[in-house]
Amino acid sequence: LPTYPFQHQRHWLNPAGSSDTARSGRGPTAHPLLTAMVDLPDGATVHTGLLDPRTQPWLDDHAIDGTVLLPGTAITELLWAAGDGATVAELTLHAPVLLPESGAARVRVVVGAPGADGAREVVVHAAADGREWTHHATAVLAPRATTTADPAPWPVPDAAWPPPGAEPVVIDGLYSRLAEHGLEYGPTFRNVRAVWRDGRHTYAEVALPEGTRDSRYGLHPALLDAALHPPALERDESGPVLVPFSFTGATLYAAGATELRVRLTAIDAETVAVAVADTNGAAIAVVDELRLRPAAKPDPAGQGALFVLDWTPIDTLAAPPTNARYDIIGEDGEDGNDRLVAALEGAGSTTRTWPDAAAFAHALSSGATAPDAVLVPRLGTGHDDVGAAVSAELLDHLRTLRWWLTDERTADIPLVVVTASAVATEPEHPADLVHAPSWGMSRSAQAEHPGRITLIDLAAGALHDAAAAVGFALAAHEPQIAVREGRVLIPRLARAASSAPGPAPFDAERTVIVTGASGGLAGHVAQHLVTRHGVRHLLLLSRTRATALADRLTTLGARPVVVACDVADAGQLAAALREIPAEHPLGAVVHTAGILGDATLTGLTDEQVAAVLRAKVSGTLNLHEQTADLAAFILFSSAAGVFGGAGQANYAAANTFLDAFAGHRRAAGLPATALAWGLWDEETGTTAHLTGADRDRLEHSGLRPLDTAAGLALFDAALTATHPVVLPLSPDLRRFEKSEVPPLLRALV
């Protein structure tokens, strides 16, 4: 093999554009990426184009861990083009734009109408061919004079170059070092020619290779990206390589440069100021502040996405099996049990009833014939004290499952949990609050003991379907089904429908409650509310005062009130709410509080169940009862309730209650959204205990951890979700062969 890099030169003909933008109502543009625009009556504009390596080969030269993605500098270029000379006052990159292995990705930049100060909000979306649109970036464009002086203070024409006193830096190995960290740059991006350093400043020369120069760009993304490569030379080899995350005050002064002089000024460990000039020292562009973050492995699903639990019809109920023999665990006369017995026997089944699992097991030891299945009904209704009923129901269910799974005599007998309206197959019909948590606990039991437990949910008042439903589930080996109007439904994850961007439900003059405020996740969210959504008044509640978070928010211009409060204690919560100033009434609740009490189901104690339910169930009920006139009621739930977290039966049950409660509030016309989070990459109060083996096991289930930026972007996306329960997840579907895909993920493959 030759010792020099391979030359990349295409000999394929580039496809000619075929769309007639004029006839479609769009105006053509000269930009190579944004090729059409539409002016809207209110002064907003919509810019569209294609990210196609066949017409822009340089796009193939930027990859992380083998996945080709659009550099963040290209988003800046799109904004400069759409803004027609405006400064990019703020730009935050929420998720990378992944380019498909074949074909092109569509890109759409929507520039809002100017406000009184001339500023315009911008959102950037992209979609591969045949895929849904993904929100990748938000920005604010401002008239140039409002942020950065013109001309730029550096560089100045005829300045000495390189600057006196700057020491040269060896650049050999720069791109091999970046490649070791997964940043794979092709020839179009390997543009650093020389580097010098002088105290806080790093200077560089960068130039586009011949054959890639295109005067239609304001500042070619590959050239500006290369200007940001030199800091990699300063970092320890074991440390992370940093990539752009957000831009502040990015102004383009002159277009078409192909060679640059660069000055990078360190502001802090992860922030630099950028100034670039041409070879004569004339200003080309500046970025007042460029925030960097460690390069993360790209997520082919789009740095996570919002999903919903979709109940998909697969069949209609047939006639029930004849002469089936079912035993029922539960006292005669218990609410619903007699009706279930009557329905089964009316369909030709034979039944026996036992007061508990121990009585059934004793009967087996005494010579009783084993049935075709044992049914555990959870059918009671009409509870006045929901919190107490949930606790009593779950503890009884735990005792049944615990006995069943530890007794060897039951190992070969199917256990079927039968509920009525315990799952919401449609958002407008919320789940029963008392029985929904039994599904969360049972899903965890299924995860720990595959093949031993089946879950069946019937519509309220439709116990006549019970015999046919049990027969279908056992014959089809479906672990979870629901039956509605004779149709058999199975749960599958589906991408949440895209909702039109709307205003966030936060008012700068109203107070936002954040519970669990001493936790790491709550800290990120609270800071995000301040920096992204302009929240200024927060009531931070946690069992220990979150003073460190309050201090951090104060430096950001917020006015937090900190109260040590257990939200599960109604009296403590009432006292805390009185701390809200009258001039800044309560506007929103973000309930993140929760604790863990992990144990396998057979070792789980009643005390562990009660402790976990306290923050989730009692805390949620108290917040609901003691607040009103809210714009948002956001519940931090967990995907464990949907997937069934092994070793987390109590936690899964508690979070399934939150999901059901969000549905009840929505049905009552009140705001509510439950976010059933997957694992976050950063350690939080509920993940700090996980070992490396635990995390590997969770990733093997097909769910990758979300990094903090991706999680906060999904939080924002969920604010306008139409479904009351969304799952912010990052599934890794490439991990599975077809036969290994868990049932919940099969519709995504």
Side-chain angles (χ1 to χ4, degrees):
L1 292 175
T3 57
Y4 55 86
F6 284 107
Q7 298 295 314
H8 287 245
Q9 186 174 359
R10 288 175 175 262
H11 297 279
W12 298 103
L13 292 175
N14 289 330
S18 59
S19 61
D20 186 341
T21 58
R23 285 189 295 172
S24 67
R26 295 172 290 160
T29 72
H31 198 273
L33 299 182
L34 293 179
T35 55
M37 69 168 290
V38 176
D39 288 313
L40 302 182
D42 63 353
T45 57
V46 180
H47 306 254
T48 59
L50 283 179
L51 305 174
D52 190 346
R54 293 170 296 180
T55 58
Q56 298 294 321
W58 63 268
L59 291 169
D60 275 336
D61 282 350
H62 185 273
I64 295 182
D65 284 332
T67 300
V68 178
L69 48 84
L70 191 71
T73 53
I75 302 291
T76 309
E77 171 67 18
L78 295 177
L79 296 175
W80 278 332
D84 193 23
T87 286
V88 180
E90 300 174 15
L91 165 61
T92 300
L93 306 174
H94 299 303
V97 180
L98 277 67
L99 301 181
E101 294 182 4
S102 61
R106 296 169 291 157
V107 63
R108 180 178 67 203
V109 180
V110 180
V111 182
D117 59 355
R120 292 174 288 170
E121 295 188 356
V122 185
V123 291
V124 180
H125 290 78
D129 291 338
R131 299 287 185 90
E132 295 181 358
W133 290 98
T134 298
H135 181 194
H136 291 283
T138 54
V140 175
L141 295 177
R144 180 185 298 178
T146 63
T147 56
T148 305
D150 186 2
W154 186 94
V156 294
D158 303 322
W161 186 261
E167 296 293 331
V169 177
V170 176
I171 63 173
D172 295 344
L174 168 61
Y175 289 102
S176 60
R177 165 165 161 66
L178 291 170
E180 289 173 359
H181 287 265
L183 277 71
E184 302 158 9
Y185 291 111
T188 315
F189 283 80
R190 297 186 173 212
N191 298 327
V192 176
R193 302 292 180 258
V195 175
W196 301 266
R197 190 174 301 139
D198 173 17
R200 292 174 57 212
H201 305 303
T202 299
Y203 304 92
E205 287 181 356
V206 297
L208 283 173
E210 294 292 339
T212 60
R213 303 180 178 189
D214 190 334
S215 61
R216 295 175 298 168
Y217 287 101
L219 182 54
H220 198 293
L223 189 61
L224 181 55
D225 193 87
L228 308 178
H229 296 172
L233 294 166
E234 304 175 31
R235 295 193 170 265
D236 181 78
E237 290 188 3
S238 62
V241 171
L242 303 181
V243 295
F245 168 58
S246 68
F247 296 72
T248 301
T251 303
L252 180 67
Y253 294 105
T258 58
E259 299 180 45
L260 298 177
R261 294 176 178 178
V262 181
R263 185 184 74 176
L264 304 172
T265 303
I267 297 174
D268 58 37
E270 296 187 351
T271 308
V272 296
V274 184
V276 296
D278 64 15
T279 54
N280 296 317
I284 297 296
V286 296
V287 181
D288 293 342
E289 291 188 10
L290 172 63
R291 288 186 58 203
L292 306 166
R293 68 177 181 187
K297 291 185 178 181
D299 180 355
Q303 274 293 304
L306 295 181
F307 296 86
V308 296
L309 191 63
D310 182 47
W311 287 88
T312 305
I314 59 166
D315 210 337
T316 55
L317 282 181
T322 57
N323 302 318
R325 295 173 293 113
Y326 300 127
D327 283 16
I328 297 171
I329 303 295
E331 296 284 356
D332 286 332
E334 276 189 11
D335 193 4
N337 287 8
D338 288 347
R339 290 181 288 120
L340 177 61
V341 168
L344 293 171
E345 293 183 347
S349 301
T350 301
T351 67
R352 296 180 302 196
T353 301
W354 308 97
D356 52 40
F360 167 75
H362 179 73
L364 286 182
S365 298
S366 301
T369 304
D372 296 321
V374 170
L375 277 53
V376 178
R378 298 293 173 195
L379 303 169
T381 58
H383 304 283
D384 294 329
D385 187 336
V386 172
V390 168
S391 180
E393 178 77 10
L394 273 180
L395 291 176
D396 184 64
H397 195 48
L398 172 62
R399 285 187 283 271
T400 298
L401 294 177
R402 193 165 49 201
W403 186 283
W404 185 267
L405 295 171
T406 54
D407 195 315
E408 295 181 357
R409 293 168 292 185
T410 65
D412 297 325
I413 303 173
L415 184 72
V416 181
V417 179
V418 181
T419 59
S421 296
V423 299
T425 58
E426 297 177 347
E428 56 269 28
H429 300 297
D432 181 273
L433 290 176
V434 173
H435 298 298
S438 65
W439 268 67
M441 179 172 281
S442 298
R443 285 166 172 156
S444 289
Q446 289 179 326
E448 294 180 24
H449 301 271
R452 294 201 58 187
I453 298 171
T454 299
L455 295 173
I456 297 175
D457 189 66
L458 305 172
L463 290 182
H464 54 271
D465 288 331
V470 173
F472 178 94
L474 295 178
H477 302 289
E478 281 289 347
Q480 302 173 25
I481 70 168
V483 177
R484 298 294 187 269
E485 298 179 348
R487 296 183 305 158
V488 179
L489 314 175
I490 56 174
R492 295 291 185 262
L493 279 191
R495 286 184 177 269
S498 299
S499 55
F506 303 112
D507 184 334
E509 295 303 314
R510 301 184 72 182
T511 298
V512 177
I513 288 178
V514 178
T515 72
S518 58
L521 188 54
H524 286 304
V525 172
Q527 182 168 325
H528 184 68
L529 291 174
V530 172
T531 58
R532 178 72 184 93
H533 296 287
V535 172
R536 289 294 173 264
H537 305 279
L538 301 97
L539 178 60
L540 304 178
L541 304 181
S542 55
R543 288 180 295 173
T544 57
R545 289 171 56 86
T547 52
L549 173 60
D551 291 343
R552 191 161 78 244
L553 298 181
T554 300
T555 63
L556 296 172
R559 299 177 182 176
V561 175
V562 185
V563 178
C565 171
D566 180 359
V567 294
D569 185 309
Q572 289 188 32
L573 178 60
L577 292 175
R578 290 194 289 271
E579 298 293 322
I580 297 175
E583 63 272 23
H584 301 293
L586 183 61
V589 170
V590 182
H591 183 32
T592 79
I595 65 169
L596 292 178
D598 290 359
T600 58
L601 192 139
T602 54
L604 190 62
T605 67
D606 291 4
E607 291 74 20
Q608 287 172 308
V609 172
V612 171
L613 290 182
R614 179 175 170 79
K616 294 288 187 180
V617 177
S618 300
T620 298
L621 290 171
N622 287 340
L623 288 165
H624 166 71
E625 292 165 0
Q626 297 191 32
T627 61
D629 299 323
L630 300 177
F633 191 88
I634 300 168
L635 302 170
F636 273 35
S637 176
S638 170
V642 176
F643 283 83
Q648 292 190 309
N650 50 354
Y651 191 66
N655 284 291
T656 309
F657 175 85
L658 297 191
D659 299 343
F661 198 80
H664 270 265
R665 278 186 59 100
R666 285 279 189 104
L670 299 172
T673 302
L675 281 72
W677 292 102
L679 182 67
W680 285 56
D681 194 34
E682 182 172 335
E683 287 189 359
T684 66
T686 56
T687 62
H689 69 293
L690 295 177
T691 65
D694 291 330
R695 288 178 174 269
D696 289 344
R697 174 176 51 80
L698 290 169
E699 289 197 44
H700 185 70
S701 71
L703 298 180
R704 284 174 298 204
L706 289 165
D707 66 42
T708 301
L712 294 176
L714 293 175
F715 173 85
D716 289 346
L719 295 176
T720 56
T722 57
H723 200 285
V725 182
V726 292
L727 292 87
L729 303 173
S730 178
D732 182 7
L733 303 178
R734 296 178 300 179
R735 180 178 294 274
F736 300 109
E737 297 294 337
K738 277 282 186 181
S739 60
E740 299 175 342
V741 180
L744 278 177
L745 300 178
R746 287 175 185 166
L748 300 177
V749 176

